[in-house]
Amino acid sequence: MPDRGAPVSHPAPPRDDTRTLTTVAHTAFFLLLGASVVRFLLRHPGEPRTPWIIALSITLALLYVLGPALGAAPTARRLLWLGLVVTNWTVLVVLAPSFAWCAVPLFFTALRTLPPRAAIVLVALLTTFVVIAQLQLAKSFDPNLLLAPPAVAALATAVFVHMERQAQAQRTLIDDLIRTRRELAATERREGTLAERQRLSMEIHDTLAQNLSSQQMLLQAADRTWDSDPATARAHVRTATGIAAHGLAEARRLVHDLAPSELADGAGLPEALRSLGAGPDIEVRFHLEGTPAPLPDRVQSALLRIAQGALANVREHSGARTAALTLSFLGDQVVLDIADDGHGFTEPRTGTHTGTGTGTGTRARTDSAGRGHGLPAMRARVRQLGGTLTIESTPGEGTVLSAAIPLEPAP
């Protein structure tokens, strides 16, 4: 079952329709521009204005080509570009009315660039120029020339506005779904946490708390009868000792239930580390150095969690292809090294870190400001055990994370 609490990645709203419409509009513009140039040259060969028409047509084509590089947002440069395109087209239409139909693709450009009201005003102005130009070309009055351009402009505007509203509604719906999913995941996490707390409180109340209460009563009874009836007092103490032993067994059972599943059934830390991975595209190798020694449960759990967090960062941030886990038993301490061949990070900080890159392969701000608390959690685990966490990284040469935890000398 996937982790409902994990960060949710969602695709952006589909833009296939917009891209298709953009391609059609660009193609139509250049076809109309080319046809207008050819028509003018065929109908008006050798006229003095011909060089101007050709120069303005080339300029308009170049300006139009620069448009996509400026993006669709109504920035100052984008607005200036649109003004230059419209001005160039207007001059062309004044010199040669046959260029008027190039305005149809410009409708789409205006609607994409300007706010709705401003875009509609510009479309109306362009349509007016088209009507005037067509009436100039006609030998007699034709109602179609008066009505067709506004109808085409209205249809193009309506189609575009409808598509934009649909896209906006879809984006809003996706945002609502993502927000609802996150809220549901947070609610499930809270409910799971509360359920686990309730289970643990019941377990502690029914076992450890009852045992401690019984021990207290027995020891108090032993204290009252110690002088008058030593035998009974000793019996109370022995009973309390037995209850303490039972409580200790219960406490160990609770700790075992909370231990990582990889360490269950008596599996040791080397076996658990050997089974870890970082994804299908990253090869993880495990090395064991020194003579393995029994490790306390909390040390095994801490090192396993550190390795899991470091490999998660390798997978998500480092761009590495290989990672190496090295567990070293050095007598008085155990050291876990996680090395990767990723891109590293630029801050040349080494030693016991208090706010540095992410475990193997990225920077501290990415980890802390992004999805979680990988390094702070690692440092907290190591600090609780009296150890040190060291990170060394070189840009382009990967990162090495090292966790060293001291061990109590064997009796």
Side-chain angles (χ1 to χ4, degrees):
M1 177 180 293
D3 183 7
R4 299 294 300 272
V8 179
S9 59
H10 59 282
R15 308 295 292 181
D16 292 342
D17 293 340
T18 302
R19 285 195 294 267
T20 301
L21 184 58
T22 301
T23 303
V24 171
H26 292 345
T27 304
F29 175 81
F30 287 107
L31 288 176
L32 290 172
L33 181 62
S36 300
V37 172
V38 173
R39 183 181 186 279
F40 178 83
L41 294 177
L42 293 176
R43 296 288 181 89
H44 308 280
E47 285 199 5
R49 55 179 173 166
T50 298
W52 289 101
I53 296 296
I54 295 176
L56 288 172
S57 299
I58 295 175
T59 303
L60 182 59
L62 293 176
L63 285 172
Y64 198 84
V65 169
L66 292 176
L70 300 177
T75 59
R77 290 191 302 173
R78 178 76 175 178
L79 295 178
L80 176 61
W81 168 83
L82 180 61
L84 292 175
V85 170
V86 173
T87 302
N88 196 324
W89 172 83
T90 303
V91 175
L92 266 175
V93 172
V94 171
L95 295 177
S98 59
F99 284 84
W101 284 109
C102 293
V104 176
L106 294 182
F107 294 164
F108 174 70
T109 302
L111 290 168
R112 287 192 63 196
T113 304
L114 298 175
R117 292 184 179 180
I120 291 175
V121 171
L122 181 57
V123 169
L125 292 176
L126 295 176
T127 305
T128 302
F129 269 92
V130 173
V131 171
I132 295 174
Q134 294 303 307
L135 291 176
Q136 289 179 350
L137 291 175
K139 297 180 180 179
S140 61
F141 178 76
D142 187 348
N144 287 332
L145 298 179
L146 184 64
L147 300 177
V152 172
L155 179 61
T157 302
V159 170
F160 181 85
V161 171
H162 177 69
M163 290 181 58
E164 282 296 309
R165 288 178 177 175
Q166 280 191 325
Q168 182 60 39
Q170 191 174 26
R171 287 192 291 268
T172 302
L173 177 60
I174 290 178
D175 291 340
D176 291 341
L177 290 175
I178 295 301
R179 183 169 57 255
T180 301
R181 184 173 178 180
R182 288 175 177 170
E183 292 174 354
L184 178 60
T187 301
E188 291 180 349
R189 287 196 300 271
R190 287 194 296 270
E191 291 178 352
T193 301
L194 292 176
E196 184 64 14
R197 287 180 178 177
Q198 183 177 9
R199 185 187 73 83
L200 289 176
S201 66
M202 294 174 60
E203 288 276 352
I204 293 173
H205 176 270
D206 295 340
T207 56
L208 299 181
Q210 295 292 346
N211 289 339
L212 290 173
S213 177
S214 299
Q215 293 175 54
Q216 183 183 31
M217 294 175 60
L218 288 168
L219 293 175
Q220 289 174 348
D223 183 62
R224 289 193 299 269
T225 60
W226 191 266
D227 295 330
S228 60
D229 191 354
T232 301
R234 293 191 191 93
H236 289 331
V237 171
R238 287 193 295 269
T239 304
T241 302
I243 294 176
H246 180 70
L248 179 60
E250 288 291 340
R252 287 173 174 169
R253 182 184 63 82
L254 288 175
V255 171
H256 181 270
D257 290 342
L258 296 175
S261 59
E262 293 86 353
L263 298 174
D265 300 328
L269 180 61
E271 289 75 13
L273 293 176
R274 188 176 284 109
S275 65
L276 296 181
D281 298 328
I282 302 176
E283 179 184 2
V284 179
R285 303 187 185 97
F286 173 74
H287 306 280
L288 179 63
E289 296 183 357
T291 302
L295 297 175
D297 291 342
R298 61 175 185 164
V299 173
Q300 295 190 76
S301 298
L303 292 178
L304 178 61
R305 295 307 187 201
I306 289 172
Q308 290 172 328
L311 290 178
N313 284 335
V314 170
R315 178 179 63 252
E316 298 177 14
H317 305 298
S318 71
R321 288 180 292 180
T322 61
L325 298 177
T326 303
L327 182 64
S328 304
F329 290 88
L330 305 179
D332 60 342
Q333 65 176 349
V334 58
V335 179
L336 175 63
D337 297 315
I338 304 98
D340 67 71
D341 60 354
H343 51 63
F345 54 91
T346 57
E347 290 84 352
R349 300 179 182 177
T350 58
T352 303
H353 282 233
T354 58
T356 173
T358 65
T360 70
T362 188
R363 302 181 182 179
R365 54 179 176 270
T366 303
D367 183 74
S368 60
R371 66 174 182 82
H373 306 278
L375 269 185
M378 294 180 196
R379 285 194 294 270
R381 293 180 188 277
V382 172
R383 189 183 304 115
Q384 290 173 357
L385 298 173
T388 58
L389 184 69
T390 304
I391 300 176
E392 298 179 357
S393 183
T394 302
E397 297 183 10
T399 304
V400 178
L401 181 146
S402 180
I405 298 177
L407 299 177
E408 297 180 0

